[in-house]
Amino acid sequence: MLDKWREYKFISSTRKTPEFIMFARDFKKYIRSDKLLIRFTVGHFYISGFAYNPVTKKYAYFITNNVAFYDNWHKKITYRTARHDRDYVGGTNMECDLSELIQNLERITE
C-alpha cells in the first residue's frame, strides 16, 4: 500500500499538497490495519500518532521525518514508548524502516 510512496519526490509547499494528502490517507490505512492506532496527526509534511495496547495498557508514539525534505523518510521513522496518548516526550527514541514500524509498535507495547 505504501510502496508507491517510498521513492516519491514530494514537493514542499506552504500548504499540504494533494499528493501528500493522499499519502497521509494511505499511511493511516496502513497503520490502522494493526488496530493499535488511537491518535493520528497529519502535520506539515509529516505524520505522527499514538498506538495503544488495551491488554497491557501501554502506549507508543511514532513520527515521520518531513517527507518533502528527506527522500529517505521511510528508512528512519522515529518511535518510542509513551506514558499516555499525549506524551510527546516519552521514552528513548528508536528508529526503524517503515516495513518494521507496526511490528516495533506491537513489541514495545507488549
Side-chain angles (χ1 to χ4, degrees), residues 5-60:
W5 298 110
R6 283 180 174 267
E7 303 302 324
Y8 189 84
K9 303 290 186 207
F10 290 94
I11 304 298
S12 186
S13 174
T14 57
R15 298 176 190 220
K16 296 173 190 167
T17 62
E19 295 81 10
F20 178 72
I21 292 169
M22 287 187 297
F23 161 72
R25 194 174 301 131
D26 286 350
F27 194 102
K28 187 174 185 178
K29 286 179 193 173
Y30 168 74
I31 199 78
R32 185 173 253 168
S33 67
D34 183 47
K35 306 234 188 291
L36 292 177
L37 182 68
I38 59 168
R39 183 177 303 278
F40 187 81
T41 303
V42 178
H44 188 71
F45 292 95
Y46 74 89
I47 294 171
S48 66
F50 286 90
Y52 176 69
N53 182 326
V55 175
T56 64
K57 298 184 177 11
K58 291 184 180 179
Y59 293 86

Side-chain angles (χ1 to χ4, degrees), residues 38-90:
I38 59 168
R39 183 177 303 278
F40 187 81
T41 303
V42 178
H44 188 71
F45 292 95
Y46 74 89
I47 294 171
S48 66
F50 286 90
Y52 176 69
N53 182 326
V55 175
T56 64
K57 298 184 177 11
K58 291 184 180 179
Y59 293 86
Y61 173 74
F62 67 89
I63 187 168
T64 67
N65 284 318
N66 180 322
V67 299
F69 187 74
Y70 294 98
D71 290 340
N72 67 344
W73 65 268
H74 54 87
K75 294 182 180 180
K76 292 187 177 185
I77 297 180
T78 301
Y79 69 99
R80 61 179 168 252
T81 59
R83 293 176 302 218
H84 48 75
D85 68 346
R86 296 192 190 276
D87 179 12
Y88 295 96
V89 179

